[in-house]
Coordinates of all heavy atoms in Angstrom, one line a residue:
F120 N 0.8 -1.2 0.0 CA 0.0 0.0 0.0 C 0.8 1.3 0.0 O 0.3 2.4 -0.1 CB -0.9 0.0 1.2 CG -2.1 -0.9 1.1 CD1 -2.1 -2.1 1.7 CD2 -3.2 -0.6 0.3 CE1 -3.2 -3.0 1.6 CE2 -4.3 -1.5 0.1 CZ -4.2 -2.7 0.8
G121 N 2.2 1.1 0.1 CA 3.0 2.3 0.1 C 2.7 3.4 1.1 O 2.5 3.1 2.3
S122 N 2.5 4.6 0.6 CA 2.3 5.7 1.5 C 0.8 5.9 1.8 O 0.4 6.9 2.5 CB 2.9 7.0 1.0 OG 2.3 7.3 -0.3
F123 N 0.0 5.1 1.2 CA -1.5 5.3 1.3 C -2.0 5.3 2.8 O -2.8 6.1 3.2 CB -2.2 4.3 0.5 CG -3.7 4.4 0.5 CD1 -4.3 5.6 0.0 CD2 -4.5 3.3 0.9 CE1 -5.7 5.7 0.0 CE2 -5.9 3.5 0.9 CZ -6.5 4.6 0.4
P124 N -1.5 4.3 3.6 CA -2.0 4.4 5.0 C -1.7 5.7 5.7 O -2.6 6.2 6.5 CB -1.2 3.2 5.7 CG -0.9 2.3 4.5 CD -0.6 3.2 3.4
A125 N -0.6 6.2 5.5 CA -0.2 7.5 6.2 C -1.1 8.6 5.7 O -1.5 9.5 6.5 CB 1.2 7.8 6.0
K126 N -1.5 8.6 4.4 CA -2.3 9.6 3.9 C -3.8 9.5 4.4 O -4.4 10.6 4.7 CB -2.4 9.5 2.3 CG -1.0 9.9 1.7 CD -1.1 9.7 0.2 CE 0.3 10.1 -0.5 NZ 0.3 9.9 -1.9
L127 N -4.2 8.3 4.6 CA -5.6 8.1 5.2 C -5.5 8.6 6.6 O -6.5 9.3 7.1 CB -5.9 6.7 5.2 CG -6.7 6.1 3.9 CD1 -6.9 4.6 4.1 CD2 -7.9 6.8 3.6
N128 N -4.5 8.3 7.3 CA -4.4 8.7 8.7 C -4.3 10.2 8.9 O -4.9 10.8 9.8 CB -3.1 8.1 9.3 CG -2.9 8.4 10.8 OD1 -1.9 9.0 11.1 ND2 -3.9 8.1 11.6
K129 N -3.7 10.9 7.9 CA -3.5 12.3 8.0 C -4.9 13.0 7.9 O -5.0 14.1 8.5 CB -2.6 12.8 6.9 CG -2.2 14.3 7.0 CD -1.2 14.6 5.9 CE -0.7 16.1 6.1 NZ 0.3 16.5 5.1
I130 N -5.9 12.5 7.3 CA -7.2 13.1 7.2 C -8.2 12.6 8.3 O -9.4 12.8 8.2 CB -7.8 13.0 5.8 CG1 -8.0 11.5 5.4 CG2 -7.0 13.7 4.8 CD1 -8.8 11.3 4.1
G131 N -7.6 11.9 9.3 CA -8.4 11.6 10.4 C -8.8 10.2 10.7 O -9.5 9.9 11.7
F132 N -8.3 9.2 9.9 CA -8.7 7.8 10.1 C -7.7 7.1 11.0 O -6.5 7.3 10.8 CB -8.8 7.1 8.8 CG -9.9 7.5 7.9 CD1 -9.7 8.4 6.8 CD2 -11.2 7.1 8.1 CE1 -10.7 8.8 6.0 CE2 -12.3 7.6 7.3 CZ -12.0 8.4 6.3
N133 N -8.1 6.2 11.8 CA -7.3 5.1 12.3 C -7.0 4.2 11.1 O -8.0 3.9 10.3 CB -8.0 4.3 13.4 CG -8.2 5.1 14.6 OD1 -7.3 5.3 15.4 ND2 -9.5 5.5 14.8
V134 N -5.8 3.7 10.9 CA -5.5 2.8 9.8 C -4.7 1.6 10.3 O -3.7 1.8 11.0 CB -4.7 3.5 8.7 CG1 -4.5 2.6 7.5 CG2 -5.5 4.8 8.2
L135 N -5.2 0.4 9.9 CA -4.4 -0.8 10.2 C -4.1 -1.5 8.9 O -5.0 -2.1 8.3 CB -5.2 -1.7 11.1 CG -4.5 -3.0 11.6 CD1 -3.3 -2.7 12.5 CD2 -5.5 -3.9 12.3
A136 N -2.8 -1.5 8.5 CA -2.4 -2.2 7.3 C -1.7 -3.5 7.8 O -0.8 -3.4 8.6 CB -1.4 -1.3 6.5
M137 N -2.2 -4.6 7.4 CA -1.8 -5.9 7.9 C -1.3 -6.9 6.8 O -1.8 -6.9 5.7 CB -2.9 -6.5 8.7 CG -4.2 -6.8 7.9 SD -5.5 -7.5 8.9 CE -4.8 -9.1 9.4
D138 N -0.3 -7.7 7.2 CA 0.0 -8.8 6.4 C -1.0 -9.9 6.6 O -1.7 -10.0 7.6 CB 1.4 -9.4 6.8 CG 2.6 -8.5 6.5 OD1 2.4 -7.6 5.7 OD2 3.6 -8.8 7.1
L139 N -1.2 -10.7 5.6 CA -2.0 -11.9 5.7 C -1.1 -13.1 5.8 O 0.1 -13.1 5.4 CB -2.9 -12.1 4.5 CG -4.0 -11.0 4.3 CD1 -4.7 -11.2 3.0 CD2 -4.9 -11.0 5.5
R140 N -1.5 -14.2 6.4 CA -0.7 -15.3 6.8 C 0.1 -16.0 5.7 O 1.0 -16.7 5.9 CB -1.5 -16.3 7.5 CG -2.6 -17.1 6.7 CD -3.3 -18.1 7.5 NE -4.0 -17.5 8.7 CZ -4.2 -18.2 9.8 NH1 -3.8 -19.5 9.9 NH2 -4.7 -17.6 10.8
Y141 N -0.3 -15.8 4.4 CA 0.4 -16.5 3.3 C 1.5 -15.6 2.7 O 2.0 -16.0 1.7 CB -0.7 -16.8 2.3 CG -1.8 -17.7 2.8 CD1 -3.1 -17.4 2.5 CD2 -1.5 -18.9 3.5 CE1 -4.1 -18.2 3.0 CE2 -2.5 -19.7 4.0 CZ -3.8 -19.3 3.8 OH -4.8 -20.2 4.2
K142 N 1.9 -14.5 3.4 CA 2.9 -13.6 2.8 C 4.2 -14.4 2.5 O 4.7 -14.2 1.4 CB 3.1 -12.5 3.8 CG 4.3 -11.6 3.3 CD 4.6 -10.5 4.4 CE 5.8 -9.7 4.0 NZ 6.0 -8.6 5.0
D143 N 4.7 -15.2 3.4 CA 6.0 -15.8 3.2 C 6.0 -16.8 2.1 O 6.9 -16.9 1.3 CB 6.5 -16.4 4.5 CG 6.9 -15.4 5.5 OD1 7.1 -14.2 5.1 OD2 7.0 -15.7 6.7
I144 N 4.9 -17.7 2.1 CA 4.9 -18.7 1.0 C 4.7 -18.1 -0.4 O 5.1 -18.6 -1.4 CB 3.8 -19.8 1.3 CG1 2.4 -19.2 1.3 CG2 4.1 -20.5 2.6 CD1 1.4 -20.3 1.4
I145 N 4.0 -17.0 -0.4 CA 3.8 -16.3 -1.7 C 5.1 -15.7 -2.2 O 5.5 -15.8 -3.3 CB 2.7 -15.2 -1.6 CG1 1.3 -15.8 -1.3 CG2 2.6 -14.4 -2.9 CD1 0.9 -16.8 -2.3
A146 N 5.8 -15.1 -1.2 CA 7.1 -14.5 -1.6 C 8.1 -15.6 -2.1 O 8.9 -15.3 -3.0 CB 7.7 -13.8 -0.4
R147 N 8.0 -16.8 -1.6 CA 8.9 -17.9 -2.0 C 8.4 -18.5 -3.4 O 9.2 -19.3 -4.0 CB 9.0 -18.9 -1.0 CG 9.7 -18.5 0.3 CD 10.0 -19.7 1.2 NE 8.9 -20.4 1.6 CZ 8.2 -20.2 2.7 NH1 8.6 -19.3 3.6 NH2 7.2 -21.0 3.1
A148 N 7.2 -18.2 -3.8 CA 6.7 -18.9 -5.0 C 7.3 -18.4 -6.3 O 7.3 -19.1 -7.3 CB 5.2 -18.6 -5.0
G149 N 7.9 -17.2 -6.3 CA 8.6 -16.7 -7.5 C 7.7 -15.8 -8.3 O 7.2 -14.8 -7.9
R150 N 7.6 -16.2 -9.6 CA 6.9 -15.3 -10.6 C 5.4 -15.2 -10.3 O 4.9 -16.0 -9.5 CB 7.1 -15.9 -12.0 CG 8.6 -15.9 -12.4 CD 8.7 -16.7 -13.7 NE 7.9 -16.1 -14.8 CZ 8.4 -15.2 -15.7 NH1 9.7 -14.8 -15.5 NH2 7.7 -14.7 -16.6
F151 N 4.8 -14.2 -10.9 CA 3.4 -13.9 -10.6 C 2.5 -15.1 -10.8 O 1.6 -15.4 -10.1 CB 2.9 -12.7 -11.5 CG 1.4 -12.6 -11.4 CD1 0.8 -12.1 -10.3 CD2 0.6 -12.9 -12.5 CE1 -0.6 -11.9 -10.3 CE2 -0.7 -12.8 -12.5 CZ -1.4 -12.3 -11.4
E152 N 2.7 -15.8 -11.9 CA 1.9 -17.0 -12.2 C 2.0 -18.0 -11.1 O 1.0 -18.6 -10.7 CB 2.4 -17.6 -13.6 CG 2.1 -16.8 -14.8 CD 3.1 -15.6 -15.0 OE1 4.1 -15.6 -14.2 OE2 2.9 -14.8 -15.8
Q153 N 3.2 -18.3 -10.6 CA 3.4 -19.2 -9.5 C 2.7 -18.7 -8.2 O 2.1 -19.5 -7.4 CB 4.8 -19.5 -9.3 CG 5.5 -20.5 -10.3 CD 5.7 -19.8 -11.7 OE1 6.1 -18.6 -11.7 NE2 5.4 -20.5 -12.8
Q154 N 2.8 -17.4 -8.0 CA 2.2 -16.8 -6.8 C 0.7 -17.0 -6.9 O 0.1 -17.3 -5.8 CB 2.6 -15.3 -6.7 CG 4.0 -15.1 -6.4 CD 4.3 -13.6 -6.3 OE1 3.5 -12.7 -6.5 NE2 5.6 -13.3 -5.9

């Protein structure tokens, strides 16, 4: 999400940007098709 959470927060929102549990196995999968 890059800088988007901070921008939302700046206009008054609480923001929770979270990883999902499959982050590591997706990162190890390689190319987009494999992911």
Side-chain angles (χ1 to χ4, degrees):
F120 286 103
S122 62
F123 183 59
K126 291 177 180 179
L127 273 180
N128 179 241
K129 189 174 183 179
I130 60 171
F132 294 100
N133 295 280
V134 182
L135 182 65
M137 59 181 293
D138 291 343
L139 296 174
R140 66 177 58 210
Y141 302 130
K142 175 183 174 180
D143 290 342
I144 64 172
I145 295 302
R147 294 194 298 267
R150 297 169 62 90
F151 169 72
E152 293 78 9
Q153 284 72 42
Q154 292 182 356

